[in-house]
Amino acid sequence: MLTCEICGEEIMLEEDMKTHLLISHLENDMHCPLCSLSGVSYNELCFHISSAHPEHTASSDCSAGTNTGGIERDRRALTHVETVPITSTTLSSKTKPECVRSWSDADAGTISEHNKAKQKRLSSPEKEKLFSCPMCALVCSSCFILQEHVELHLQEQCSAEGSGLEVFSSAVTSPSASSLSGEKRFECPMCSVNCSSSFSLQEHVELHLDAGAAASPGSDLKLARKLQQEEEQRRREEESQQEREEFKKLQRQFGLDGSGGYRRQMEKTMEKDVARGRMAPAEFHCKRAEMMESLASGVDDYRTRTQEKEVPSIPQVQCMIEEAWKRGLDPQGASHFNQKLQGTRAWIGATEIYSLFTSLGISARIIDFHKPTGPGDTHPRLFDWVKEYFCQSSRSSRLPPRLIQTSLPPLYLQHQGHSRTVVGLEQKKNGSLCLLLFDPGSSPSDTRKLLSRDNISRAIRHIRKFPSSLKQKQFQVVAVQGVLSTEDKQISILNSRTLRAERIP
């Protein structure tokens, strides 16, 4: 009668025993009897037991002594131990092989407590955290996987140093501590602590791993805060950059970018005429010299205005507006231009013209058509208001004549980026209206054609503007009303501190 030394089953024949060992034990999954390692091959399990549990292997060898039969028996028993899932709780003293009995009776309690502690840690919620290897950049999902990984590092290190199986899988032997105490000491790879046994060192290393896992939420929070601060800083920088670009764009749009004033603008105009072949280079230099002489003397040479009824030049108008600001007119508008117009290409808008008229003792008002009042962003209310303005001097019960001549001053029409002068209005037979506008952007030759009766019908087409051609979002009109008395002038200056336009509608 044969008895299986692994499970204790009694079998009659030797062939049946071999079949039993093959089916019941060898073909099962390989499990380490000393820890929870499983799912490995026979050779891998042998290497694991000899490297990860060297004390127990050594204890098994000592129990056999020098007897050859004992060594062979221990080797055979160890083979069985390495290939089947044997634990200290599943084997009785009767069925344990000698190599297992030689060390399990002394260390069974320690191993049992160690396995219980390890199982408790592996089943805790921290097993879902990430654990980084202290010896390389690998990150593991559990402390047990990290332990096995660190053991491979130490095995490679021990093999390179020639220390063999005497070094525990997660520690290195401290030569200095060993020489002083006379016994083997194990040094922690993560700090300078020396442990007296491999189990103590393993517990100590796992405390390091547990502490790192516990500290990881705080590190994640710090990282999240840091990323949030960097994102906020980047957003503020982008907003500041965008504001600077928008401000520069507005400066260019309103002529406040320091790119030169009237002189530079006239030079650019003449340079364009030279490039287009309208002006010879010699004529360009001659006119440029005349312009510089005129600006230096302060006397207008009729290049920026017509020669009839005493209209000031553009540089002179800029100077007069600055003088009006100094007298207290429109302080808000003056601060917008930093109290300076001369030498810039800044727009002269409706409020600046109102300040100029008031400083000269001329009564004026500003009418603001702040939004379209017709289909397609048109302004029919603007056309109706201009019609009422020019017709106010000829109101009677009789039918109005086909042509109305009036002594009323023209209207100053301002919109985004440009200003024009309304000198009249036409009404067609179907009732549609069109404004007659003088545009400073028109060429002098087209304007002179209006003085010729032969070309009047053709020339007037250039100054007719129907509602479909005036589709800006906003228009402002400055209308002259009369002459201000000294008292009314002071009142107008005080009122200009909170200057407001009449809004239509």
Side-chain angles (χ1 to χ4, degrees), residues 122-314:
L122 291 177
S123 61
S124 65
E126 294 180 355
K127 67 180 181 178
E128 299 298 331
K129 303 181 184 299
L130 298 179
F131 302 89
S132 59
C133 176
M135 308 177 72
C136 69
L138 182 67
V139 177
C140 303
S141 60
S142 69
C143 60
F144 176 72
I145 298 177
L146 177 61
Q147 175 187 339
E148 294 293 334
H149 173 71
V150 172
E151 289 172 358
L152 294 177
H153 275 298
L154 297 176
Q155 290 170 13
E156 294 175 358
Q157 180 178 351
C158 294
S159 299
E161 296 176 354
S163 57
L165 297 177
E166 295 181 354
V167 181
F168 179 61
S169 60
S170 63
V172 295
T173 303
S174 175
S176 58
S178 178
S179 60
L180 292 176
S181 60
E183 59 184 24
K184 185 161 51 177
R185 308 288 292 181
F186 300 91
E187 183 179 357
C188 175
M190 305 175 71
C191 65
S192 58
V193 172
N194 292 317
C195 301
S196 59
S197 66
S198 60
F199 288 111
S200 299
L201 179 60
Q202 183 175 355
E203 294 288 343
H204 175 76
V205 171
E206 291 179 353
L207 288 177
H208 276 297
L209 301 178
D210 295 342
S216 60
S219 302
D220 294 341
L221 181 60
K222 291 180 180 179
L223 179 60
R225 289 177 178 174
K226 182 180 179 181
L227 293 176
Q228 183 177 4
Q229 293 175 355
E230 293 177 353
E231 178 66 21
E232 292 179 354
Q233 179 67 18
R234 184 184 62 82
R235 179 178 55 80
R236 287 194 295 267
E237 292 177 356
E238 290 179 353
E239 290 178 354
S240 300
Q241 180 65 22
Q242 185 176 2
E243 289 178 357
R244 288 192 294 268
E245 293 177 355
E246 290 292 336
F247 181 70
K248 291 180 179 179
K249 183 178 179 180
L250 288 175
Q251 284 183 321
R252 291 191 300 269
Q253 182 178 359
F254 287 95
L256 299 175
D257 55 349
S259 59
Y262 165 76
R263 179 182 63 82
R264 183 55 186 157
Q265 186 175 0
M266 292 300 297
E267 287 178 349
K268 289 182 177 179
T269 301
M270 291 188 296
E271 288 173 358
K272 290 181 180 178
D273 290 340
V274 172
R276 295 172 181 174
R278 298 177 180 176
M279 183 183 297
E283 184 182 1
F284 165 79
H285 291 289
C286 181
K287 289 187 176 182
R288 183 177 182 276
E290 293 175 355
M291 180 187 65
M292 297 298 293
E293 182 180 356
S294 174
L295 292 176
S297 63
V299 179
D300 192 85
D301 59 355
Y302 305 109
R303 294 183 183 276
T304 66
R305 61 179 177 87
T306 59
Q307 298 183 12
E308 295 78 15
K309 295 182 287 183
E310 298 297 329
V311 178
S313 63
I314 292 178

Side-chain angles (χ1 to χ4, degrees), residues 327 329 354-355 357-364 481-497 499:
R327 297 177 185 177
L329 282 157
Y354 174 87
S355 300
F357 285 162
T358 304
S359 67
L360 297 176
I362 300 174
S363 175
Q481 294 177 312
V483 179
L484 291 172
S485 64
T486 303
E487 183 180 356
D488 291 339
K489 181 178 179 180
Q490 294 299 324
I491 295 175
S492 298
I493 292 175
L494 294 176
N495 292 336
S496 69
R497 296 178 180 177
L499 184 59

Side-chain angles (χ1 to χ4, degrees), residues 386-396 398-408 423-427 436:
V386 173
K387 177 183 177 181
E388 292 179 3
Y389 173 80
F390 284 115
C391 291
Q392 61 182 332
S393 62
S394 62
R395 293 175 180 173
S396 62
R398 295 181 304 174
L399 291 176
R402 295 185 61 185
L403 178 64
I404 300 177
Q405 291 184 342
T406 177
S407 61
L408 293 173
V423 297
L425 177 137
E426 287 184 345
Q427 183 172 7
L436 302 179

Side-chain angles (χ1 to χ4, degrees), residues 249-255 336 347-350 368-369 379 412-420 470-477:
K249 183 178 179 180
L250 288 175
Q251 284 183 321
R252 291 191 300 269
Q253 182 178 359
F254 287 95
H336 175 75
W347 292 353
I348 298 178
D368 186 10
F369 299 89
H379 290 263
Y412 179 91
L413 180 64
Q414 176 75 46
H415 60 83
Q416 179 77 11
H418 197 41
S419 60
R420 288 178 269 192
L470 295 176
K471 291 186 176 182
Q472 282 74 16
K473 293 183 178 180
Q474 181 182 12
F475 286 94
Q476 287 184 332
V477 174

